[in-house]
Amino acid sequence: MKERVVKIITLLGGLYYFLEFVLPQEIKGHTTYLSSFIVPMGNILMVLWAFAVGLGLINLSITHGKKVKKLEPGWIYSIAFFIAMLAMMVTCFLDTYHPTSLVRQFYEILFTRMYMPLGATIFSLLALFMATSAYRAMRVRTFEATVMVVSACIIMLGQVPIGLWMTRTLPSCIQLPRVSAWLLWIANTAAYRAVMFGIYMGMIAVALRLWLSLEKGMELR
Amino acid sequence: MALPGEGYGIKMKEFLVKLGKIDRRVIYLLVILAVVIPLIVKIRLPIFISRETNGVYTIIEHCPEDKIVLLDCTWDAGNRGENWPQTEAVMVHLMRKGIKFAIMSRIPQGTGFGREIAEKVAKKYGKKYGIDWCNLGYLPGEAAMIQALAKDIKGVVKKDIKGTPLDSIPMMQGIEDIHDISLVCGIAYWPSEDWLRFVQGVYGTNVAFCSSAIVSSAMYPFLDSGQLCGLLVGVRGAAEYERLLGTEELGTELIVPQSMVHLLIVVLIVLANIGFWAERREKKEERRGIRDEGGETGK
């Protein structure tokens, strides 16, 4: 019964958005009224979306709570998770509902001086991995690999000022930024459009399966 | 007996093969030096203004003063390097032109970053919150939220991030739906294509994106078709925009280390291929040597 209700709601929700997008607001003088409900429907979905944030927090708390309770390997990191989560939650609540200079300072320390540098650091590690991956992977073995490596080098240098500086004495039509722009605007656009065509055809099929609840993961157990 | 110069030839071959086997720790060190040295030694390189950056600049230049611009600041600390200078450059341009803008985000952290940059720029240009800019806060819901926002802004966003009703905010007086927004600027690692589907495609509103460089190649088809009026590509886009504005801020500063790292990666690729081909040639010669020996003994 529960499963049937979920499937019906999924079907009706998808049908509403599809019809609202496709049908005009008026057909032969009669208003379809579908667009009148777009704002309340949007608000409902926004609330459900926000629920996902809370659900994520609950799931994380359950997972880490079990780890701490059973003293599994790495339980100390779960304690760190709870401390960080509670510190940020309490600070943000106080900053919103009872802001004082001390609370603001604490918020600045947690968000600007801890969270931001940590987040930036994790992402910046990619630069080192990209350099070593490019060094190891970009070997010219075949004709296609040659084309890929040459175009990668042109784009990498053309996208930054050093490419312009290196080719500044050449005619403007063959300077690296212009060649790189041609590759992106013409060659890349054509190839990407072709790939996306195929991807979107697949996405239509997947979307239909999700809408009609034909996907295996849609079953409630 | 070894011929004169043969030792040198062998050493050269070994050196060339080693070029393809550089320790990754050496590569990490080179990357770190390529980033740090240009930050210490102030170098300035010529900047080429691309068509896509010009597109964003032109559209903001022609934004009417009676409408607002919507900035979708959906980025977090991980994308700070690319999206912060882009956001700052766009906000400087909007404040200089006296065009009002509203910040929103589809992730919780985004509004904090948008607010921080807006406060910094507003202080410099004497702009006030509520009159020249406002913060609509975190708006979840992706496509559904965008469709609803386009129909009725105040129906979706009742209050700003400070809890002030939108009707009480001076700049939001008379701003009802998407027709009161002259430009939607999506600033994110990968700006949402839902703005193109449900805003540009349905209402014809101008949309510009400020994305990270690595995903920018996915945006060019939209630029080519005219769905996107402009695109800022990573730090390069921010540096080009600052050049158009006549300023030298974070974008101009960060483009130089990026240039050096790109050059380093190209050099490493060339060295790797030299080493690869040297190794391949050596293996071929070894096989030929073994075959020749086998042929001789066979005689």
Side-chain angles (χ1 to χ4, degrees), chain A residues 11-32:
Chain A
L11 184 72
L12 290 175
L15 189 65
Y16 167 77
Y17 272 102
F18 173 70
L19 290 175
E20 196 279 331
F21 191 78
V22 164
L23 295 177
Q25 285 199 12
E26 272 190 25
I27 303 173
K28 290 192 178 173
H30 299 287
T31 314
T32 52

Side-chain angles (χ1 to χ4, degrees), chain A residues 18-85:
Chain A
F18 173 70
L19 290 175
E20 196 279 331
F21 191 78
V22 164
L23 295 177
Q25 285 199 12
E26 272 190 25
I27 303 173
K28 290 192 178 173
H30 299 287
T31 314
T32 52
Y33 293 107
L34 288 169
S35 297
S36 316
F37 292 99
I38 197 94
V39 174
M41 281 288 283
N43 287 337
I44 291 168
L45 283 167
M46 279 170 69
V47 169
L48 289 173
W49 203 276
F51 265 120
V53 177
L55 191 65
L57 258 170
I58 292 167
N59 275 334
L60 277 170
S61 300
I62 291 171
T63 309
H64 286 284
K66 278 183 186 164
K67 237 180 171 174
V68 171
K69 194 176 169 186
K70 294 176 185 171
L71 291 178
E72 286 172 13
W75 65 271
I76 203 89
Y77 303 115
S78 299
I79 298 277
F81 159 77
F82 281 114
I83 293 171
M85 183 184 77

Side-chain angles (χ1 to χ4, degrees), chain B residues 5 7 24 42 81 92 128 144-145 151 160 177 240 265 290:
Chain B
R24 69 175 73 176
K42 299 283 178 195
V92 163
K128 299 261 185 303
M145 178 274 294
K151 272 272 185 309
D160 75 346
D177 56 28
E240 289 173 8
I265 291 175
I290 292 165

Side-chain angles (χ1 to χ4, degrees), chain A:
Chain A
M1 181 63 194
K2 254 194 263 182
E3 205 173 298
R4 204 170 284 180
V5 169
V6 170
K7 284 182 180 177
I8 289 169
I9 293 173
T10 308
L11 184 72
L12 290 175
L15 189 65
Y16 167 77
Y17 272 102
F18 173 70
L19 290 175
E20 196 279 331
F21 191 78
V22 164
L23 295 177
Q25 285 199 12
E26 272 190 25
I27 303 173
K28 290 192 178 173
H30 299 287
T31 314
T32 52
Y33 293 107
L34 288 169
S35 297
S36 316
F37 292 99
I38 197 94
V39 174
M41 281 288 283
N43 287 337
I44 291 168
L45 283 167
M46 279 170 69
V47 169
L48 289 173
W49 203 276
F51 265 120
V53 177
L55 191 65
L57 258 170
I58 292 167
N59 275 334
L60 277 170
S61 300
I62 291 171
T63 309
H64 286 284
K66 278 183 186 164
K67 237 180 171 174
V68 171
K69 194 176 169 186
K70 294 176 185 171
L71 291 178
E72 286 172 13
W75 65 271
I76 203 89
Y77 303 115
S78 299
I79 298 277
F81 159 77
F82 281 114
I83 293 171
M85 183 184 77
L86 289 168
M88 202 71 212
M89 268 174 71
V90 168
T91 310
C92 289
F93 272 124
L94 288 173
D95 192 50
T96 308
Y97 296 108
H98 188 63
T100 61
S101 60
L102 182 67
V103 169
R104 197 90 263 262
Q105 260 183 19
F106 207 58
Y107 175 85
E108 287 293 314
I109 290 169
L110 285 178
F111 187 76
T112 312
R113 292 184 200 163
M114 286 179 74
Y115 167 73
M116 274 167 59
L118 282 170
T121 304
I122 298 294
F123 215 76
S124 343
L125 290 173
L126 275 178
L128 301 168
F129 292 131
M130 296 266 284
T132 49
S133 307
Y135 175 74
R136 273 180 289 136
M138 287 196 157
R139 304 282 163 117
V140 171
R141 289 186 176 90
T142 59
F143 173 70
E144 289 83 9
T146 313
V147 171
M148 190 191 77
V149 168
V150 168
S151 45
C153 292
I154 291 171
I155 298 281
M156 265 195 286
L157 291 176
Q159 290 285 293
V160 287
I162 200 108
L164 177 62
W165 182 80
M166 282 165 63
T167 52
R168 64 193 184 283
T169 53
L170 297 174
S172 64
C173 56
I174 54 168
Q175 283 175 354
L176 274 172
R178 285 206 196 270
V179 177
S180 152
W182 183 90
L183 278 171
L184 285 167
W185 278 87
I186 309 295
N188 163 73
T189 300
Y192 197 82
R193 272 206 183 113
V195 167
M196 287 314 290
F197 235 51
I199 289 174
Y200 279 124
M201 297 306 274
M203 273 172 71
I204 290 170
V206 169
L208 263 171
R209 287 183 64 83
L210 283 169
W211 180 40
L212 299 172
S213 304
L214 296 172
E215 279 294 304
K216 279 186 185 162
M218 310 283 290
E219 290 136 29
L220 285 173
R221 285 197 182 87

